[in-house]
Amino acid sequence: MSGQRPTLAAVAARAGVSPSTASLAFSGAGPVAQETRERVLAAARELGYAGPDPLARSLRQGRSGIVATLIGERLLYAFRDPVAVGLLDGLAEVLSSLDSGLLLISGDATRTGPTPDQVARTPMDAVIFAMCGRDDDPLLDHFIGRGIPVVAVDGPHREDVAVLDVDDYGGSMALARHLAELGHRRIATVTLPSRLDGHRGPMSDERRAQVGFADVRQRLKAVEDVFGRVPVVETPTNIIEEGQQAAALLLAAPPAERPTAIVAQSDLLAVGVIRAALDSGLRVPDDLSVVGFDGIETPWLDHYVLTTVEQPYVEKGRVAGRMVAEFLAGRRPDDVRLPIEVRIGTTTAPPAAAGTLAP
Amino acid sequence: MSGQRPTLAAVAARAGVSPSTASLAFSGAGPVAQETRERVLAAARELGYAGPDPLARSLRQGRSGIVATLIGERLLYAFRDPVAVGLLDGLAEVLSSLDSGLLLISGDATRTGPTPDQVARTPMDAVIFAMCGRDDDPLLDHFIGRGIPVVAVDGPHREDVAVLDVDDYGGSMALARHLAELGHRRIATVTLPSRLDGHRGPMSDERRAQVGFADVRQRLKAVEDVFGRVPVVETPTNIIEEGQQAAALLLAAPPAERPTAIVAQSDLLAVGVIRAALDSGLRVPDDLSVVGFDGIETPWLDHYVLTTVEQPYVEKGRVAGRMVAEFLAGRRPDDVRLPIEVRIGTTTAPPAAAGTLAP
DNA sequence: TGTGTGACTCGAATCGATTCGATCGAATCG
DNA sequence: CGATTCGATCGAATCGATTCGAGTCACACA
């Protein structure tokens, strides 16, 4: 009705009490006579006052109740990734029990990430780097400089951030050994993005030396520690189509040079690899073994059971939430490494005899 | 180093200028000599000042740069719904161009929605009801009372909120007519949740009279306006499994009473219906015609092309974002109704002859 | 009757910036 | 050369609450 929205002071005046008392009446902290409280609430109702302004309250308390989550990719892609979705779900579950909101900050179609400006303007109590914590992300310094606690999921290992990850190296190593034991010698890898610049295709030495994401680096290193240098094709985004395209590149080689097994750095990419194989008339696992990483459930796999490393990604989100809670409580959470499990499925088998002995 | 984080005032003092000037140096508004600006920035660097506190700035400017999006369901379910995901993607795209952040507020495993308390404590410039705008949602009044602009996607239709929807009634009507023209007489419907209370099963008269969501109501009404009263089974969540379970209930009837066509209120539910049909040994569309709503692309449909109503859900998200932008610019956006298109696929056909003429 | 205790309320400082109007010197114009 | 204008800077008010220490009052206890 009136031009201006009423303030707590106005309500207090109307109720005939001081602003401090009115504040106590709303927040419930401190002793307030029952009758006084009711008078205040009545005054608020009459004036159409909906409760203390969150902004003013946040400023005073130095806390906004907002936890930001950085998603590297466009939401559309991130949401197609069951790992990302599971992570967010676990996270949301815990945050909501903390009475904190989940603010999504994502890249978009044109930019590769959020503008530093937007990040600097947004109030947040803590930030989570979800699947996009490049070791040298400039935003990291910003947050640290601001004193905003950072939880890095699979993210940069640094002194000043709390890290939550799995044993990427060990998991990938186990898969690589599995392939080696089956007799594979010609291996290739399809990797997740090594940085968010949209690059697609064979990975140059230069890029290989500058892989920005720790998990990508570890998973790649494990394979190379078993097989030595292998052909690597990089994808710009963790979606099936990119895996398919990358694998098509690898499978276009003449049969004698064609890999007998492909290590995909994610299950989603692995699905793409399988599709590419089928597209080229190859049978999986007879002509091509495929392994992934993550352990997602997906309807895209038909009757296959993917050989992969299972990681508890929903729990990962929950743990990330709990680490944030620790920070908010003023403590510095310990780094966490969640357990993984290797699952041998039906997408791996010994390589076809061709090449080892002439038929 | 020092116990406290530096403030703008400290930086100003160090640079030998007034706080007002320092503020201008950072914000870029107003004229500041090049040399002065540099002096201020240098002082900031020396003190480790990361820029103005977003909370203080927000309080003064009365704007937080945060747009909240209410998701009724648990994120895990919402993210399995391509419509929800597409909507969020379009929304995020526009919001990020507005330099606003996307705050997700969702229900969780235990509660059916966010606590009013959390909502009241969170600073936000605008709010979007995405697929959860019950006509009588108490949160609505809260936002209105706070003066926070509301954009309601698919309802609720109220004077004081901006609505963005499609012609649910018209679309469903077209589908219903299509089925009628094919000769179907025994129809049943599987609906989306009529309210978020986890109810599953046949819809009682009482619930039917109290459908909280406008789109659900319209889609149901259209079917009944063509076929009269039909059996209705309600689902608690828009996921395939629920559609399957609901349809199983309907298909358990003896053949003579079994519906020859099922109208699912979403494509996801329709996929479930098809599965249930196949589970019961029925052929689609020969023994059972199925229609959906939304027009999603999904790998779950095998070779079927679903008969459905296509709505532009990514664009829907973008438009919602633009409506928010209008509000933020101080204008009241007009309500928007996006165009839809009926797509006749391969999941509908005339009913089997049985029942009309004895073979 | 003096004093301690506890419940309740208030005043004033504070959170950290932004912004409006005023000031002041230098440059421009007639 | 005086009047205007413009650019740069500053002071002070303001955004809307929370919080802490202090003050008041009634009641109980010795």
Side-chain angles (χ1 to χ4, degrees):
Chain A
M1 299 299 175
S2 61
Q4 292 301 317
R5 207 148 290 284
T7 69
L8 181 59
V11 172
R14 170 127 193 170
V17 299
S18 76
S20 18
T21 303
S23 172
L24 294 183
F26 275 104
S27 70
V32 175
Q34 183 62 23
E35 191 235 355
T36 309
R37 158 180 275 104
E38 276 160 15
R39 200 141 39 88
V40 172
L41 296 181
R45 220 170 302 122
E46 289 162 25
L47 265 50
Y49 178 76
D53 181 344
L55 277 174
R57 167 201 293 249
S58 297
L59 172 59
R60 185 65 239 253
Q61 300 187 329
R63 180 167 297 190
S64 62
I66 290 176
V67 175
T69 301
L70 257 53
I71 310 276
E73 303 187 287
R74 196 172 159 196
L75 289 189
L76 195 55
Y77 297 147
F79 288 165
R80 282 200 213 163
D81 178 1
V83 176
V85 168
L87 192 84
L88 285 175
D89 183 63
L91 185 59
E93 181 183 325
V94 175
L95 289 188
S96 108
S97 76
L98 292 176
D99 267 342
S100 284
L102 175 62
L103 181 79
L104 248 38
I105 301 184
S106 62
D108 65 22
T110 57
R111 297 189 289 233
T112 60
T115 53
D117 205 52
Q118 183 196 336
V119 165
R121 283 172 193 279
T122 309
M124 52 185 88
D125 298 337
V127 60
I128 296 172
F129 276 77
M131 307 158 299
C132 66
R134 229 176 63 211
D135 297 349
D136 54 347
D137 195 316
L139 287 178
L140 250 177
D141 293 317
H142 175 84
F143 293 123
I144 302 294
R146 264 253 152 71
I148 299 177
V150 175
V151 172
V153 178
D154 298 326
H157 292 258
R158 282 175 45 154
E159 270 295 308
D160 36 17
V161 311
V163 178
L164 165 62
D165 64 5
V166 297
D167 185 2
D168 290 292
Y169 183 79
S172 297
M173 173 66 81
L175 290 179
R177 289 222 178 99
H178 166 65
L179 290 174
E181 283 162 12
L182 286 173
H184 290 275
R185 295 295 174 267
R186 287 203 311 280
I187 303 289
T189 288
V190 174
T191 74
L192 294 165
S194 72
R195 35 201 337 110
L196 292 174
D197 55 4
H199 180 79
R200 170 191 292 125
M203 191 184 266
S204 65
D205 287 349
E206 202 179 350
R207 288 185 72 85
R208 200 182 293 221
Q210 290 186 4
V211 173
F213 301 112
D215 50 351
V216 176
R217 202 167 44 234
Q218 296 299 320
R219 295 181 194 178
L220 181 53
K221 182 167 188 315
V223 171
E224 298 201 318
D225 283 352
V226 171
F227 290 103
R229 195 66 184 270
V230 302
V232 178
V233 177
E234 188 181 355
T235 61
T237 303
N238 182 26
I239 57 174
I240 293 176
E241 292 73 15
E242 292 292 347
Q244 189 168 0
Q245 199 173 332
L249 214 63
L250 289 166
L251 298 177
E257 296 166 26
R258 189 196 294 143
T260 60
I262 291 184
V263 176
Q265 286 201 338
S266 80
D267 285 359
L268 237 33
L269 293 177
V271 172
V273 171
I274 292 175
R275 282 200 190 162
L278 300 179
D279 287 350
S280 337
L282 299 175
R283 291 162 305 165
V284 176
D286 315 70
D287 301 319
L288 184 75
S289 287
V290 179
V291 306
F293 202 107
D294 289 336
I296 63 175
E297 285 172 38
T298 161
W300 288 286
L301 270 174
D302 297 321
H303 56 283
Y304 291 115
V305 176
L306 189 61
T307 296
T308 192
V309 170
E310 295 178 344
Q311 63 165 321
Y313 44 84
V314 174
E315 179 63 13
K316 211 171 184 180
R318 289 198 202 100
V319 172
R322 284 186 221 120
M323 291 171 82
V324 166
E326 281 291 291
F327 270 127
L328 262 37
R331 293 183 292 268
R332 205 297 194 179
D334 293 326
D335 288 357
V336 175
R337 169 155 290 184
L338 293 174
I340 54 176
E341 199 161 325
V342 177
R343 181 225 286 161
I344 305 299
T346 62
T347 59
T348 45
T356 55
L357 283 179
Chain B
M1 300 299 174
S2 60
Q4 292 300 317
R5 206 148 290 285
T7 70
L8 181 60
V11 172
R14 170 128 193 167
V17 299
S18 76
S20 19
T21 303
S23 172
L24 294 184
F26 274 103
S27 71
V32 175
Q34 183 62 23
E35 191 236 354
T36 309
R37 158 181 275 106
E38 276 161 14
R39 200 142 38 88
V40 172
L41 296 182
R45 221 169 304 121
E46 289 161 26
L47 265 51
Y49 179 76
D53 180 344
L55 278 174
R57 166 200 296 247
S58 298
L59 172 59
R60 184 65 239 254
Q61 300 188 331
R63 179 167 296 191
S64 62
I66 290 176
V67 175
T69 302
L70 257 52
I71 310 275
E73 302 186 287
R74 195 173 161 196
L75 289 188
L76 195 56
Y77 297 146
F79 288 165
R80 283 198 212 163
D81 179 1
V83 176
V85 168
L87 193 84
L88 285 175
D89 183 64
L91 184 59
E93 181 183 324
V94 175
L95 288 188
S96 107
S97 76
L98 292 176
D99 267 342
S100 284
L102 176 61
L103 181 78
L104 247 40
I105 300 184
S106 61
D108 65 24
T110 57
R111 298 189 288 235
T112 59
T115 53
D117 205 53
Q118 183 197 335
V119 166
R121 283 172 192 278
T122 308
M124 52 185 88
D125 297 338
V127 59
I128 297 171
F129 276 77
M131 307 159 298
C132 65
R134 229 176 63 211
D135 296 349
D136 54 346
D137 195 316
L139 287 178
L140 250 177
D141 292 316
H142 173 85
F143 293 123
I144 302 294
R146 264 254 152 69
I148 299 177
V150 175
V151 172
V153 177
D154 297 327
H157 293 259
R158 283 175 44 154
E159 269 295 308
D160 36 17
V161 310
V163 178
L164 165 61
D165 64 5
V166 298
D167 185 1
D168 291 291
Y169 183 80
S172 298
M173 174 67 81
L175 290 179
R177 290 222 177 100
H178 166 65
L179 290 174
E181 284 163 11
L182 286 173
H184 290 275
R185 293 298 174 266
R186 287 202 311 280
I187 303 288
T189 288
V190 175
T191 75
L192 294 165
S194 72
R195 35 202 333 112
L196 291 175
D197 55 4
H199 180 79
R200 170 190 293 126
M203 191 183 266
S204 66
D205 287 350
E206 200 179 351
R207 289 185 71 85
R208 201 181 293 222
Q210 290 186 4
V211 173
F213 301 111
D215 49 351
V216 176
R217 201 167 43 237
Q218 295 301 320
R219 296 180 195 178
L220 181 53
K221 182 168 190 312
V223 171
E224 299 201 318
D225 283 353
V226 172
F227 290 102
R229 194 68 184 270
V230 303
V232 179
V233 176
E234 187 181 355
T235 61
T237 304
N238 182 26
I239 56 175
I240 293 176
E241 291 74 14
E242 291 293 346
Q244 189 167 0
Q245 200 173 332
L249 212 64
L250 289 166
L251 298 176
E257 297 166 26
R258 189 196 295 144
T260 60
I262 291 184
V263 176
Q265 285 200 338
S266 79
D267 285 359
L268 236 33
L269 293 177
V271 172
V273 171
I274 293 176
R275 282 200 191 163
L278 300 180
D279 287 348
S280 338
L282 298 175
R283 291 163 305 165
V284 175
D286 314 70
D287 302 317
L288 183 75
S289 286
V290 179
V291 306
F293 201 107
D294 289 336
I296 63 175
E297 286 172 37
T298 160
W300 290 285
L301 271 173
D302 298 321
H303 56 284
Y304 291 115
V305 177
L306 189 61
T307 296
T308 192
V309 171
E310 296 178 344
Q311 64 165 321
Y313 43 87
V314 174
E315 179 63 13
K316 212 171 185 180
R318 289 196 203 101
V319 172
R322 284 185 220 118
M323 291 171 83
V324 166
E326 281 290 292
F327 270 127
L328 262 36
R331 294 183 291 268
R332 207 296 195 181
D334 292 327
D335 289 357
V336 175
R337 170 154 290 185
L338 294 174
I340 53 177
E341 199 160 326
V342 177
R343 181 225 286 162
I344 305 298
T346 61
T347 59
T348 44
T356 56
L357 283 178

